[in-house]
Amino acid sequence: MVRLMGRSRPRSSLRPGAAASARRRRDADGRSRWHPAAVLRSVLSGRSVAGQVFVLHLVIVLLLVVAAVVALVLQVRRDSTQEARNRSLAVAETFANAPGIVEALESPDPTAVLQPHAAAAREQANVDFIVVMNTDGIRYTHPKPDRIGKKFVGTIGPALAGEPVVEEIEGTIGQLVQAVVPVEDAGGEVVGLVSAGITTEHVGGAAEDQLPLVLSAALAALALATGGAALVSRRLLRQTHGLGPREMTRMYEHHDAVLHAVREGVIIVDGDGTLLLANDEARRLLGLPEDAEGRPVPDIGLDPGTAELLSSGRVATDEVHLVADRLLAVNQRPTDRAGGPPGSVATVRDSTELRALSGRAEASRERLNMLYDAGVGIGTSLDVTRTAEELAELAVPRFADFVTVDLFESVLAGGHPDAAGALRRAASAGIGADAPLYPRGEQIRFVASAPQGVTLATGRPVLEPRLGEAPGWHAQDVERSGQVMEYGIHSLITVPLRAGALVLGVVSFWRSRKAEPFDTEELALAEELVARAAVSIDNARRYTREHSMAVTLQRSLLPRTLPEQNALEIAYRYLPAQAGVGGDWFDVLPLSGARVALVVGDVVGHGLHAAATMGRLRTAVHNFSALDLPPDELLTLLDELVGRIDQDEAQDEQSAPVTGATCLYAVYDPVSRRCTVARAGHPPPAVVRPDDGVEFWDVPVGPPLGLGGLPFESAELELPEGSRLVLYTDGLVEDRGHDIDVGLERLREALSRSGDSPEDTCRVVLESRRPARTGDDIALLVARTRALPAGRIAQWPVPPDPAAVGEVRAAVTRKLAEWGLDELTFGTELILSELVTNALRYGGTPIQVRMLYDRNLICEVYDSSSTSPHLRYATMTDEGGRGLFLVAQLAERWGTRYLPAGKVIWTEQPVP
């Protein structure tokens, strides 16, 4: 068994931590065991490790303080003595070398000369005495006059030899430090001696002066050290929970026992990658040698991956390593995150059996995740082919290496599956693009013995775990089957795409990379996966069918070609919404008098109902336009029609009302260049002037069709030749991402930089849209205006006189000859004669005749009466009633157009 380093005692069987638990109990007064007073008592008691450390620390600090004070006092005394020696020597040498000292010694009375100077120098130099003596040591000066003339006490021999001497002696004034220096004459002969000194009393005075400061500093240091020791002991008390040495030893032994008894390996590595500790379980699982502790981790015989992890110190959570025949889960954390020592601690456990169980659980979880992803990832679009692709992409490579989806061709077109028909590969996905399977788009007919053929015939899945042993599969295509086997595909599952009782196709799952064949559990998963996809594919098939019907209906209802006319140069665009066809429409309707009507409408919604409603409204506009009504009156009739349609469909629960339809109706006259517009809930038209100026025509807006209750108003504007009139539906300017004002401003900007031609205008406007596709249809109609030349317009007033008919015929004949239409002279004269005669007989004045030379020859007769002529068949006995009949026979078209003050009867004749 591994022993912790430094272990000195055998393990104890006593329960560890009992004393710690007792010390952590609260006192009776409710205060915490770690209250400051309680901490102080525990520390001073000395029973705990913290208390013993505190006392030992305090004793050591006290001894250090005492030693420091003694050392400091001795140092001060030594420094003071040295200072006294230096000062006495300096003073003596200075006085001995003073000017006149030699002359004073040679004078008759040296004492009288030198005593005052010595006393003054002694006071200034702060020494106790300055003594001048002769070479025999007899004093000439002394602080005490009674000592003058007596023998100097001290050593003068070195000074007589010319060398100064410093000594500590018992002199006449007490214990002192004195220096003796020679006084030499100009020839270098010693003629006297000078001694200066300081008594011992003055030497020790400096130390005694500094002693209070030294003691104060020592006490302050002792107080700081005591406070620091108290803080350290308090922290140690908390960390050790008040345990004593014996209890700490017991806990150490207990932890040692637990460490080696657990069924999980524990490894501690220091910051240098050296193994500090490994318990018994770690040694067993990793196969560590006996001397592993203390060695670098890479040198203890571990596999490279495990050694790299343990020596790196990086964080690891359940990282699996293969050691011998075991799968070991390793968890590792650094030890220096909370201020601990650098290194890491790792735990190791055997997860071989758990890994096997978790592998099966992981497989089950992956299958559930796949089914969930199938529910949210398949069927994102209502496109049959895209839905099949989503199924194939989901299953590769999570379930199979290759997936193919084969659907009946009728299903791809939205129809019911034809069991006798061929299939087409709608989707194919795989881990490689070179698999020798039928390519996408290939038409396939499976033989009855093939797994796909069996699945289509029976409606049940087929599992072929070993394709090489399936002769029925080889019968499909011997050459291709051999290529598939050589490629490495060895297992197959085929599942029918069932939607109720219908089999839409077959899905094939192929395996090549994984050595194990498909099993029955995977067959069940494939069935569930395909069943979820079949619902989406069937929904897409139904939508495709309805969408095709709606597109067919819409194409039959929208104008395929624009009628021929000269008043406007027209270009248009229609963009269906992302959700499919909708109810936007437009139309160009030639009217009498070379005029042209422009219509743009929008039925809210998409699909068959919107397309059918659009067709009904477009047909109604065609019929109402034949009446040559003003735009506001036409919208009024259309609004009443929509209201009646809503009333009829309100009785049918399966029908939806038309409320929400909008319409704009405009009539342009190339003769007057005036345009009249009315709108019912529709966006305003835009007008681009020849100078590229853009404005939105402020046409009074009425309510949407079908609401009723409010009249419609029209607006009239004269357009210069070459102006562009832009009509559109709200899908061009409205979007969920911005307001209609933003859309109108973008349209204005696009129109300002578009070309002159309507085609360029349509292209620039649609290219400037953001985003490119929206959730609403777009109908765009751009018409550039033209004017009928004045030379092709002829107009005559008709006086209320029957003789005026002849004048009109003559004027018409001349004008037709001028236009080169002589072939039409006879018919035109007859037509105008009948019309003018009727106006004179039944109409009111004034009467006018106008001829327009456009694509056709147009004749118009105006009178102020509102009486409408009627075409009838005259009997053999009738004297009249044949005029309009003749007009109808001679003209290609004819009709009546009512004006606010009268009517116009018009005819059109083809120009040869």
Side-chain angles (χ1 to χ4, degrees):
M1 178 174 289
V2 175
R3 298 292 181 181
L4 296 179
M5 293 182 178
R7 184 185 180 95
S8 60
R9 297 184 58 186
R11 299 174 183 169
S12 173
S13 60
L14 293 178
R15 185 173 65 90
S21 299
R23 286 179 173 83
R24 285 194 296 267
R25 296 172 185 166
R26 295 181 175 273
D27 296 335
D29 56 359
R31 293 180 301 171
S32 171
R33 178 63 183 87
W34 306 120
H35 190 273
V39 170
L40 181 61
R41 288 195 300 270
S42 177
V43 168
L44 294 179
S45 66
R47 290 192 298 268
S48 65
V49 173
Q52 294 181 8
V53 169
F54 175 76
V55 173
L56 181 60
H57 193 178
L58 192 60
V59 170
I60 292 174
V61 169
L62 184 60
L63 292 176
L64 290 176
V65 169
V66 172
V69 170
V70 172
L72 185 59
V73 170
L74 294 177
Q75 180 67 29
V76 169
R77 287 184 177 275
R78 178 179 175 279
D79 292 345
S80 299
T81 302
Q82 185 63 35
E83 182 182 358
R85 294 171 65 91
N86 293 339
R87 189 190 304 173
S88 61
L89 179 61
V91 171
E93 288 181 344
T94 301
F95 198 86
N97 294 320
I101 186 67
V102 176
E103 290 78 5
L105 290 173
E106 293 175 355
S107 64
D109 190 1
T111 299
V113 178
L114 295 175
Q115 178 70 10
H117 292 290
R122 177 174 57 81
E123 294 293 335
Q124 293 179 0
N126 195 20
V127 295
D128 290 324
F129 65 88
I130 296 178
V131 175
V132 182
M133 66 194 82
N134 60 16
T135 56
D136 295 330
I138 302 301
R139 302 185 184 98
Y140 291 137
T141 64
H142 197 278
K144 297 181 179 181
D146 59 342
R147 305 294 175 90
I148 297 175
K150 294 183 179 180
K151 184 74 173 180
F152 176 74
V153 179
T155 304
I156 62 174
L160 294 175
E163 295 295 333
V165 59
V166 180
E167 60 182 348
E168 298 181 18
I169 64 171
E170 181 70 27
T172 58
I173 59 175
Q175 189 71 26
L176 54 84
V177 177
Q178 65 181 8
V180 180
V181 298
V183 178
E184 298 177 351
D185 58 8
E189 182 180 358
V190 178
V191 295
L193 301 173
V194 176
S195 175
I198 301 175
T199 61
T200 305
E201 179 181 358
H202 289 170
V203 173
E208 293 173 357
D209 293 339
Q210 295 182 15
L211 186 58
L213 179 61
V214 172
L215 292 178
S216 299
L219 291 177
L222 180 60
L224 290 176
T226 303
L231 293 177
V232 172
S233 299
R234 182 180 181 183
R235 181 175 180 84
L236 183 60
L237 183 66
R238 290 181 177 178
Q239 292 180 344
T240 60
H241 301 288
L243 297 176
R246 292 172 57 91
E247 295 164 340
M248 291 288 291
T249 302
R250 291 173 184 172
M251 180 173 288
Y252 174 84
E253 293 174 348
H254 176 76
H255 288 174
D256 187 18
V258 171
L259 180 66
H260 293 279
V262 295
R263 293 296 304 275
E264 190 170 276
V266 179
I267 297 175
I268 300 177
V269 180
D270 65 6
D272 297 331
T274 301
L275 180 63
L276 297 181
L277 182 144
N279 68 349
D280 293 344
E281 186 67 9
R283 289 177 176 275
R284 183 183 70 84
L285 293 176
L286 298 174
L288 299 179
E290 291 295 332
D291 59 345
E293 293 180 354
R295 295 171 55 186
V297 172
D299 299 340
I300 58 178
L302 296 176
D303 67 280
T306 307
E308 185 276 332
L309 171 62
L310 297 178
S311 59
S312 66
R314 60 181 173 85
V315 176
T317 302
D318 287 338
E319 188 171 313
V320 178
H321 290 259
L322 178 62
V323 178
D325 57 346
R326 297 187 181 95
L327 289 174
L328 303 182
V330 182
N331 290 272
Q332 183 167 268
R333 296 292 184 274
T335 57
D336 57 354
R337 283 187 172 181
S344 60
V345 58
T347 60
V348 183
R349 69 177 184 276
D350 192 349
S351 63
T352 305
E353 296 181 1
L354 181 61
R355 194 68 178 178
L357 293 175
S358 63
R360 290 193 290 271
E362 180 67 21
S364 299
R365 186 179 65 84
E366 174 61 23
R367 293 176 182 178
L368 290 176
N369 288 341
M370 188 185 306
L371 292 177
Y372 172 78
D373 293 341
V376 299
I378 299 177
T380 58
S381 67
L382 291 173
D383 182 81
V384 175
T385 302
R386 180 54 194 156
T387 305
E389 292 173 351
E390 290 171 346
L391 169 61
E393 293 168 358
L394 176 71
V396 175
R398 299 169 65 178
F399 179 69
D401 297 324
F402 298 91
V403 175
T404 57
V405 181
D406 305 313
L407 301 175
F408 288 104
E409 294 212 34
S410 56
V411 172
L412 293 172
H416 286 274
D418 182 9
L423 292 93
R424 189 170 296 276
R425 182 139 294 177
S428 178
I431 58 176
D434 56 345
L437 301 173
Y438 287 118
R440 178 180 173 183
E442 182 87 3
Q443 189 182 58
I444 308 170
R445 288 185 180 273
F446 291 106
V447 299
S449 62
Q452 291 87 349
V454 175
T455 295
L456 292 172
T458 62
R460 296 180 180 178
V462 174
L463 171 63
E464 290 290 352
R466 295 174 179 81
L467 279 178
E469 302 173 4
W473 176 70
H474 289 278
Q476 173 67 33
D477 189 335
V478 177
E479 181 180 358
R480 189 179 295 273
S481 300
Q483 295 173 354
V484 170
M485 296 301 300
E486 292 178 0
Y487 187 80
I489 297 176
H490 59 83
S491 188
L492 170 66
I493 292 177
T494 61
V495 182
L497 270 164
R498 297 179 61 92
L502 299 179
V503 177
L504 308 177
V506 61
V507 182
S508 302
F509 300 91
W510 314 79
R511 175 169 288 178
S512 63
R513 179 176 296 178
K514 190 176 180 180
E516 295 81 4
F518 286 117
D519 54 25
T520 54
E521 292 184 2
E522 291 170 318
L523 176 64
L525 175 61
E527 286 187 84
E528 181 68 22
L529 192 63
V530 173
R532 299 194 178 196
V535 176
S536 298
I537 291 179
D538 187 53
N539 290 338
R541 177 188 67 85
R542 294 173 183 269
Y543 171 79
T544 301
R545 181 181 60 188
E546 295 183 3
H547 180 72
S548 300
M549 295 172 59
V551 169
T552 302
L553 176 61
Q554 185 189 42
R555 288 177 179 175
S556 66
L557 295 177
L558 285 175
R560 299 182 181 180
T561 59
L562 296 181
E564 295 180 355
Q565 46 81 33
N566 292 337
L568 297 170
E569 180 186 354
I570 295 176
Y572 64 90
R573 295 289 189 276
Y574 176 79
L575 297 181
Q578 292 178 343
V581 297
D584 291 14
W585 93 92
F586 62 92
D587 223 330
V588 178
L589 306 173
L591 302 177
S592 63
R595 297 172 303 129
V596 177
L598 302 177
V599 188
V600 174
D602 183 7
V603 176
V604 176
H606 299 89
L608 285 174
H609 179 75
T613 303
M614 176 267 291
R616 298 166 74 178
L617 294 180
R618 180 168 177 258
T619 302
V621 171
H622 269 265
N623 294 332
F624 292 149
S625 66
L627 300 176
D628 253 334
L629 298 174
D632 53 341
E633 295 183 16
L634 187 142
L635 289 183
T636 301
L637 294 178
L638 195 61
D639 179 65
E640 294 176 357
L641 174 64
V642 173
R644 289 196 300 271
I645 293 175
D646 286 347
Q647 291 177 1
D648 295 339
E649 293 190 351
Q651 301 175 2
D652 188 356
E653 297 180 355
Q654 298 181 354
S655 299
V658 191
T659 302
T662 65
C663 183
L664 184 146
Y665 189 83
V667 176
Y668 174 71
D669 187 352
V671 177
S672 62
R673 294 184 288 106
R674 301 191 70 84
C675 182
T676 306
V677 179
R679 59 182 177 134
H682 206 80
V687 178
V688 185
R689 301 285 182 178
D691 59 355
D692 293 332
V694 181
E695 63 176 332
F696 288 98
W697 192 352
D698 187 15
V699 179
V701 59
L705 299 176
L707 296 183
L710 293 175
F712 295 97
E713 299 180 42
S714 61
E716 190 174 69
L717 181 67
E718 183 175 342
L719 299 176
E721 186 175 7
S723 300
R724 281 169 285 166
L725 185 63
V726 181
L727 310 181
Y728 52 91
T729 55
D730 57 358
L732 182 66
V733 294
E734 286 187 343
D735 193 271
R736 293 181 179 179
H738 58 76
D739 193 14
I740 187 173
D741 293 336
V742 178
L744 291 176
E745 189 59 34
R746 290 178 180 175
L747 177 59
R748 182 196 302 274
E749 189 273 334
L751 291 174
S752 65
R753 57 183 174 83
S754 62
D756 292 335
S757 69
E759 283 291 338
D760 290 342
T761 303
C762 290
R763 177 181 55 81
V764 172
V765 167
L766 293 183
E767 287 179 354
S768 64
R769 289 192 63 255
R770 296 185 301 271
R773 295 289 302 275
T774 61
D776 197 4
D777 301 2
I778 294 176
L780 175 64
L781 189 65
V782 180
R784 185 167 64 179
T785 62
R786 296 169 179 166
L788 190 64
R792 292 199 171 194
I793 303 173
Q795 187 171 340
W796 305 278
V798 179
D801 184 1
V805 176
E807 298 177 0
V808 170
R809 285 201 302 266
V812 168
T813 301
R814 290 192 298 270
K815 181 57 69 173
L816 291 178
E818 179 184 341
W819 288 344
L821 301 177
D822 297 323
E823 298 180 9
L824 301 179
T825 301
F826 175 77
T828 305
E829 288 181 352
L830 183 57
I831 289 173
L832 287 178
S833 297
E834 291 296 332
L835 294 181
V836 171
T837 300
N838 285 341
L840 291 173
R841 180 177 299 179
Y842 304 109
T845 59
I847 300 174
Q848 289 184 349
V849 174
R850 187 175 71 168
M851 281 200 316
L852 305 176
Y853 180 17
D854 193 35
R855 299 180 65 88
N856 298 316
L857 180 62
I858 302 171
C859 299
E860 298 179 342
V861 177
Y862 166 80
D863 69 82
S864 60
S865 173
S866 59
T867 304
S868 176
H870 297 282
L871 179 64
R872 65 185 182 90
Y873 290 95
T875 63
M876 296 295 293
T877 59
D878 289 339
E879 296 182 358
R882 295 176 178 84
L884 285 180
F885 181 79
L886 292 175
V887 171
Q889 294 299 314
L890 294 173
E892 186 178 55
R893 296 173 59 215
W894 74 279
T896 304
R897 180 171 72 250
Y898 291 93
L899 302 176
K903 67 179 182 296
V904 173
I905 300 176
W906 56 270
T907 65
E908 289 185 4
Q909 302 174 74
V911 176

